[in-house]
């Protein structure tokens, strides 16, 4: 696994795609590169206890599907570049574990959902705390 990380391309802008087919090929190459790097990233950030490899692959595939309708070559190239940059940050350990958890495992919807649930929970046993929480919500 460590050899895979050393062989990854350094993030660079390079030339722009000339056709939509070339842009599609570049994005698929990047998708494969990201999927190959996932096992090592999971080891580095100790993510086995919170998710599986297939769930992370599904998250990456969902991001690609979200942008599948983009036909502007410059935008496709920019998305691939941003993805390569993000992958390189993960490989270089420039992100901390909680960044990955919030961004890719829990997701932004999960974090926002937890905030909404705060007002619905039973906050304590004492009447003082119950009235305090009711007064502040």
């Amino acid at each position: 696994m460590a050899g895979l990380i050393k062989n990854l391309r350094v993030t660079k802008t390079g030339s722009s795609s000339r056709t939509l087919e070339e842009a599609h090929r570049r994005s698929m190459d990047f998708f494969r590169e990201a999927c190959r790097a996932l096992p090592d990233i999971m080891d580095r950030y100790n993510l086995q206890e919170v998710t599986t490899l297939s769930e992370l692959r599904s998250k990456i595939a969902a991001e690609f599907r979200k942008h599948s309708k983009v036909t502007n070559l410059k935008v496709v190239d920019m998305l691939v570049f941003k993805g390569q940059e993000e992958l390189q940050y993960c490989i270089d350990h420039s992100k901390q574990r909680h960044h990955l958890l919030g961004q890719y495992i829990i997701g932004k919807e999960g974090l926002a959902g937890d905030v909404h649930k705060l007002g619905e929970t039973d906050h304590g046993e004492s009447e003082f705390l119950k009235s305090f929480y009711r007064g502040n919500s």
Side-chain angles (χ1 to χ4, degrees):
M1 293 292 168
L4 175 67
I5 299 301
K6 291 178 184 175
N7 293 333
L8 278 175
R9 295 178 292 204
V10 176
T11 304
K12 56 185 174 184
T13 55
S15 61
S16 331
S17 300
R18 294 187 180 138
T19 64
L20 196 55
E21 290 79 25
E22 183 182 356
H24 178 71
R25 182 188 50 76
R26 285 182 181 197
S27 65
M28 293 309 296
D29 288 346
F30 169 64
F31 177 76
R32 288 184 198 102
E33 182 180 342
C35 286
R36 287 183 190 123
L38 280 179
D40 193 58
I41 290 172
M42 284 188 70
D43 288 340
R44 284 177 187 241
Y45 291 96
N46 198 20
L47 298 176
Q48 295 87 353
E49 57 192 35
V50 291
T51 189
T52 64
L53 186 61
S54 63
E55 287 175 354
L56 283 179
R57 282 191 179 124
S58 296
K59 293 274 187 174
I60 291 175
E63 284 295 314
F64 274 82
R65 277 188 229 104
K66 184 169 74 172
H67 300 293
S68 66
K69 303 293 183 209
V70 176
T71 56
N72 186 335
L73 294 177
K74 290 183 179 182
V75 174
V76 173
D77 287 341
M78 184 265 314
L79 288 169
V80 170
F81 174 76
K82 290 282 197 178
Q84 288 173 334
E85 184 178 45
E86 185 75 15
L87 178 62
Q88 196 64 46
Y89 286 155
C90 292
I91 290 168
D92 293 344
H93 221 315
S94 298
K95 289 182 171 272
Q96 293 182 6
R97 184 173 190 253
H98 69 277
H99 295 142
L100 294 180
L101 291 175
Q103 222 170 349
Y104 301 108
I105 296 169
I106 298 171
K108 294 174 182 150
E109 300 84 22
L111 293 174
D114 290 344
V115 172
H116 296 298
K117 291 178 187 174
L118 286 176
E120 300 170 5
T121 58
D122 187 22
H123 290 289
E125 296 299 318
S126 72
E127 290 300 317
F128 171 77
L129 285 176
K130 288 181 183 177
S131 64
F132 176 77
Y133 290 130
R134 263 185 268 128
N136 286 332
S137 52

